[in-house]
Amino acid sequence: MGSSLCPATMAHYKVDQDDWLTVYLKYLLAVFNFFFWMGGAAVMAVGVWTLVEKSGYLGVLASSTFAASAYILIFAGTLVMVTGFLGFGAVIREDRSCLSAYFCLLLAIFLVELVAGVLAHVYYQRLSEELRQHLTRTLAQNYRQPGAAEITASVDRLQQDFRCCGSNSSADWQHSTYILSPEAEGRRVPDSCCKTVVARCGRRAHPSNIYKVEGGCITKLEQFLADHLLLMGAVGIGVACLQICGMILTCCLHRRVQLHLY
């Protein structure tokens, strides 16, 4: 009799073990999904912060790669948060089609973030060259010119926020179309170079009156953008690592559900 009960007991134990593994995977995937959702919120927040708080500097950049990376992060973050809700539903229902859709969305988001990461890396490599070629030309040719209101505002904000004057130094403004024009009213630098901005304060280009920073605005802007791109990359990599774990857990749970059906 003992031998006849043994197979049944073992089968019952195996069923219990399978159920325990499924429940364990569900809890793991639910915990992952929570952190994944939070990561998506962080990715979206970084993208929004880049566009809202730092958009004033975009006018002095030659390409739109920096802004494009921010838009991709916002899109990816939004998609992550929506996918997170789907993930919770898939875990609760233990539905194979939902789990498959969840896995596909995780993979799609991973690819989107990979594109954003590549863009950020490429832009980081060409950042210094772009700034040095473009910023000096922008100050000389576009500042306070017709149709260049956005560039003018960007340059003014750049000089005030970073407390700098000129591309490499305040001497760069000597070749500016604006400074050489009657509109400058005798200014040697724009008023935004002044430590205390008042009307026509740019007439006096003394270190006590204007910012004279070694390396000019290029050095400070380059460092700022490099740090920001590294932050964007770090957040993206962190969420990508979470996604890899999530895809593995999703595959495991999908497999367990499939075995239960058969």
Side-chain angles (χ1 to χ4, degrees):
M1 181 178 294
S3 59
S4 63
L5 291 176
C6 187
T9 303
M10 291 180 63
H12 180 71
Y13 173 76
K14 187 176 185 305
V15 170
D16 288 344
Q17 187 182 40
D18 289 344
D19 290 341
W20 179 83
L21 286 173
T22 302
V23 171
Y24 183 67
L25 283 171
K26 285 176 63 177
Y27 276 117
L28 274 180
L29 195 55
V31 171
F32 154 78
N33 209 55
F34 171 75
F35 285 108
F36 181 59
W37 192 89
M38 294 295 292
V43 168
M44 186 174 65
V46 170
V48 171
W49 177 65
T50 299
L51 292 178
V52 174
E53 291 295 324
K54 309 305 174 185
S55 60
Y57 307 138
L58 299 180
V60 299
L61 302 179
S63 73
S64 59
T65 311
F66 186 73
S69 297
Y71 280 117
I72 290 175
L73 283 179
I74 293 174
F75 172 74
T78 304
L79 192 57
V80 163
M81 296 180 74
V82 173
T83 303
F85 288 113
L86 175 63
F88 281 119
V91 170
I92 293 171
R93 294 180 59 187
E94 294 186 28
D95 184 78
R96 285 193 303 161
S97 59
C98 287
L99 288 171
S100 298
Y102 182 57
F103 176 85
C104 291
L105 283 173
L106 286 178
L107 182 60
I109 296 168
F110 180 81
L111 294 176
V112 168
E113 289 176 340
L114 184 63
V115 170
V118 170
L119 283 175
H121 178 72
V122 170
Y123 189 67
Y124 180 77
Q125 298 300 316
R126 54 186 281 196
L127 179 63
S128 178
E129 180 183 355
E130 175 182 313
L131 284 177
R132 295 184 185 280
Q133 290 181 354
H134 185 70
L135 187 56
T136 302
R137 184 170 64 252
T138 297
L139 300 186
Q141 300 177 4
N142 302 113
Y143 185 80
R144 291 277 183 181
Q145 298 305 301
E150 182 181 353
I151 292 177
T152 300
S154 295
V155 171
D156 286 339
R157 180 176 176 181
L158 175 70
Q159 295 190 138
Q160 279 294 298
D161 287 356
F162 291 134
R163 299 182 178 183
C164 57
C165 184
S167 178
N168 296 288
S169 70
S170 58
D172 293 333
W173 286 108
Q174 295 176 6
H175 310 290
S176 168
T177 302
Y178 165 69
I179 294 299
L180 296 175
S181 69
E183 184 186 353
E185 298 180 335
R187 291 178 177 86
R188 297 175 62 187
V189 294
D191 291 344
S192 58
C193 281
C194 298
K195 296 178 180 179
T196 302
V197 178
V198 294
R200 291 179 289 280
C201 63
R203 289 177 174 178
R204 184 168 173 264
H206 191 271
S208 63
N209 184 52
I210 67 170
Y211 295 113
K212 283 186 176 286
V213 181
E214 184 177 351
C217 293
I218 279 184
T219 303
K220 292 199 170 187
L221 181 59
E222 182 180 10
Q223 186 60 50
F224 163 78
L225 291 177
D227 291 343
H228 200 69
L229 286 170
L230 287 175
L231 172 63
M232 293 167 67
V235 171
I237 290 173
V239 174
C241 291
L242 276 176
Q243 287 172 249
I244 293 174
C245 296
M247 286 187 282
I248 294 173
L249 289 173
T250 303
C251 287
C252 292
L253 183 58
H254 186 280
R255 177 64 177 167
R256 301 305 305 177
V257 172
Q258 188 176 24
L259 288 175
H260 279 190
L261 292 177
Y262 297 101

